[in-house]
Amino acid sequence: MKLTLPFADKLPTIPRRALPAIGAPVMVLAALAMIVLPIPAILLDLFFTFNIALAMVVLLVSVYTRRPLDFAAFPTVLLIATLLRLALNVASTRVVLLYGHEGGSAAGNVIEAFGNVVIGGNYAVGLVVFMILMIINFMVVTKGAGRISEVSARFTLDALPGKQMAIDADLNAGLIDQDQARLRRFEVTKEADFYGSMDGASKFVKGDAIAGILILFLNIVGGLSIGMMQYGLGFSEALQIYTLLTIGDGLVAQIPSLLLSIAAAIMVTRQNTDEDMGQQVVFQLFDNPKALTITAGILFVMGIVPGMPHFAFLLLAALAGGGAYWMHRKQKVKEETKNLPAEAGGNSNDPAAPPKELSWDDVHPVDVIGLEVGYRLIPLVDKDQGGELLERVKGVRKKLSQDFGFLIPAVHIRDNLELTPNSYRITLMGVAVGEAEIRPDQELAINPGQVYGLIDGEQTIDPAFGLEAVWIQEAQREHAQALGYTVVDSSTVLATHLSQLLTNNAAQLLGHEEVQNLLEMLGRSAPKLVEDFVPEQLPLGTVVKVLQNLLHEAIPIRDVRTIVQTLAEYSGKSQEPDVLTAAVRIALKRLIVQEINGIEPELPVITLIPELEQILHQTMQASGGESAGIEPGLAERLQASLTQATQEQELKGEAAVLLTSGFYVRHWLSL
């Protein structure tokens, strides 16, 4: 099936077939020239060798072609090869008759080699061998292939109207669209043309075999006449010289002819299915081990009969028996594997089995973390193509699991043809949380805020942090780094984006299963602490909510021992998740400060002037703790001042930390 890409019109057109297209005309003209012009012996050797090589190539292509229509040019190739061989017969006949009296090498080394080496220099043996080859080619291979070609062409043409009607019916029923219908009509027409051409091409092979027999006798009669009458050779001497040369010439021509006849027979006897012929023949021939078992038994009996060649029969009996045992074991394993889904309540692959009723197994849960990629990004995921994305994703999961304190769920990666080729989409609980487009064959130069020049490339935005960036070629990497850009490859861009989204949504990744695993892990080191914690002191849902609150505030839950101790201590005072979260936050104060300031002894903070803090405190008390009671102008000035102070802290390279009274901190954050 040929697919047309939506961007195919933008690709450059390369005349790849311009040079090979002149091969066939040149070969036809060369064959016609060989019929008219005299050919030196050295060129005859080259042409005969080329003819044999061409026949081998055609035969191997016929064997390895998956469908007959994949080699639709075979009838034309067969005609050209036949014409070339007949032209070589004419050229070699001219050389044999003109210079045969000079010796066996007068017609070239190839003909001499076939006359001496193949048949041992005995023209009687050569004549018998040549006639056997002609009988095999003409009576067996060519005749059978011609009959099959005739029947296949007739049946294909008779079935053409029915196939056309079936295509129209599928189109009217909506099973296929216009493009699919057009493609199927083209394949049906192409199939009819192919088998019709093969029916005619088989006549070429048959005519070539008949021509070989006639040329043989004409060359022998002509050689005897010329040798005896023009060059005064004796009958036996002329018969020896010209018969050997003629038979050598005939063998050189008939071996490629036999190869092409076998190729034609293979093409017309193949089924029009997309299967490799070698695998199809082997699998169907040895699919049943019973045949090999019986064959092995018969060969063994024949091998132990006195007077029989024991080694040959017993060796083949052992090979057949071993093959039967191997096939039996393979089928047994396949049958056991096939029956596993049926025992588990699944559906087998048997097409005759009735469709089972729908069950909950047919409802697939959404992926906790999903990554969908366009088809051009598939090499990033495929390890066989050098893709590093899987290792990068595994590294992201490992780092985040260590930072947050719980195991990040696996990332399910799949292709999505609905996305543009270079796009990817990140989903959480089946909902898209991030989407971007990257260039798998380029690198991203990110502007960290201060660079010393511009670089050529495609302007874009870093999907992870929203920074200005440029897609550049790999050769520009060092130049971009010298200008102050941070250069990363496309796999790193995607992995960084994934890491940032998971960090921002860590609270969604923690559920009851993960919290239960954390408690079980803590129970192995502190069993008494966890023994009566859930559900006697707190329900599991409350613990999950507290841990989610901490993750939502970017507080890691690595110190699960301190968290559980604090929850157990405050569980008798309150069951509210917000109150418990505040208590845990205080207990984790050292961890929180270390996450912000590292191991530095002092922490720079931003504070409110006492008058402003008193006003906010009184306002919230008057409004019952609601931030809506703050005067709008005051709230706006407060927000502007906090923004300016935050920017000043960031310019100094320090974290922006606001230190306030715990009474109203959670209320004014909404401003």
Side-chain angles (χ1 to χ4, degrees), residues 175-448:
L175 301 178
I176 58 176
D177 55 20
Q178 289 287 349
D179 294 336
Q180 293 174 325
R182 189 180 300 108
L183 178 61
R184 289 175 57 177
R185 291 193 187 99
F186 174 76
E187 291 180 348
V188 168
T189 305
K190 188 177 179 181
E191 181 182 6
D193 294 340
F194 174 78
Y195 285 106
S197 300
M198 284 300 301
D199 186 23
S202 62
K203 303 300 187 294
F204 298 144
V205 179
K206 181 178 180 181
D208 181 41
I210 298 174
I213 299 176
L214 297 178
I215 291 173
L216 173 70
F217 287 105
L218 289 176
N219 284 348
I220 293 177
V221 173
L224 288 174
S225 302
I226 294 174
M228 296 172 61
M229 297 176 62
Q230 293 187 8
Y231 300 107
L233 299 177
F235 177 79
S236 61
E237 183 180 4
L239 183 64
Q240 176 75 17
I241 294 175
Y242 287 100
T243 302
L244 280 177
L245 290 176
T246 301
I247 293 175
D249 180 23
L251 289 175
V252 172
Q254 285 307 311
I255 289 178
S257 176
L258 181 60
L259 294 178
L260 289 177
S261 300
I262 295 173
I266 290 175
M267 290 297 294
V268 297
T269 55
R270 293 192 61 177
Q271 296 180 352
N272 192 19
T273 56
D274 190 11
E275 293 179 331
D276 183 77
M277 191 195 73
Q279 296 179 353
Q280 184 180 7
V281 171
V282 171
F283 289 163
Q284 295 182 10
L285 188 61
F286 302 107
D287 184 66
N288 191 351
K290 293 181 180 179
L292 286 177
T293 304
I294 297 174
T295 302
I298 295 175
L299 289 176
F300 177 78
V301 172
M302 295 178 66
I304 62 177
V305 173
M308 297 294 289
H310 305 296
F311 175 79
F313 279 96
L314 294 180
L315 177 62
L316 290 178
L319 292 177
Y325 176 76
W326 180 75
M327 289 297 300
H328 177 72
R329 288 290 304 273
K330 185 178 179 181
Q331 289 186 355
K332 185 177 180 180
V333 173
K334 183 178 179 181
E335 193 69 23
E336 291 175 354
T337 305
K338 181 179 179 181
N339 291 334
L340 282 178
E343 295 173 359
N347 190 18
S348 65
N349 295 326
D350 186 6
K356 68 181 185 67
E357 291 294 332
L358 292 177
S359 66
W360 284 104
D361 295 333
D362 297 303
V363 180
H364 301 287
V366 297
D367 297 331
V368 178
I369 306 174
L371 175 60
E372 302 172 358
V373 297
Y375 69 86
R376 280 191 178 177
L377 303 185
I378 293 178
L380 298 179
V381 185
D382 190 358
K383 290 185 177 180
D384 296 335
Q385 302 184 44
E388 301 178 352
L389 185 58
L390 293 180
E391 293 298 327
R392 299 286 176 84
V393 171
K394 186 182 298 183
V396 168
R397 290 183 58 216
K398 182 177 181 179
K399 183 179 183 304
L400 294 182
S401 298
Q402 294 173 349
D403 291 344
F404 294 146
F406 70 97
L407 180 63
I408 301 297
V411 180
H412 293 266
I413 305 176
R414 59 171 58 91
D415 60 328
N416 187 349
L417 297 180
E418 295 181 358
L419 296 175
T420 56
N422 291 328
S423 297
Y424 66 87
R425 178 183 298 158
I426 301 172
T427 62
L428 293 180
M429 309 300 177
V431 179
V433 294
E435 185 173 348
E437 185 172 333
I438 59 178
R439 302 290 182 266
D441 55 345
Q442 297 182 3
E443 297 189 346
L444 187 65
I446 304 174
N447 184 354

Side-chain angles (χ1 to χ4, degrees), residues 445-452 462 467-469 480-481 483-487:
I446 304 174
N447 184 354
Q450 183 178 4
V451 294
Y452 303 101
D462 171 41
L467 301 176
E468 296 180 355
Q481 291 176 339
L483 294 177
Y485 288 91
T486 301
V487 183

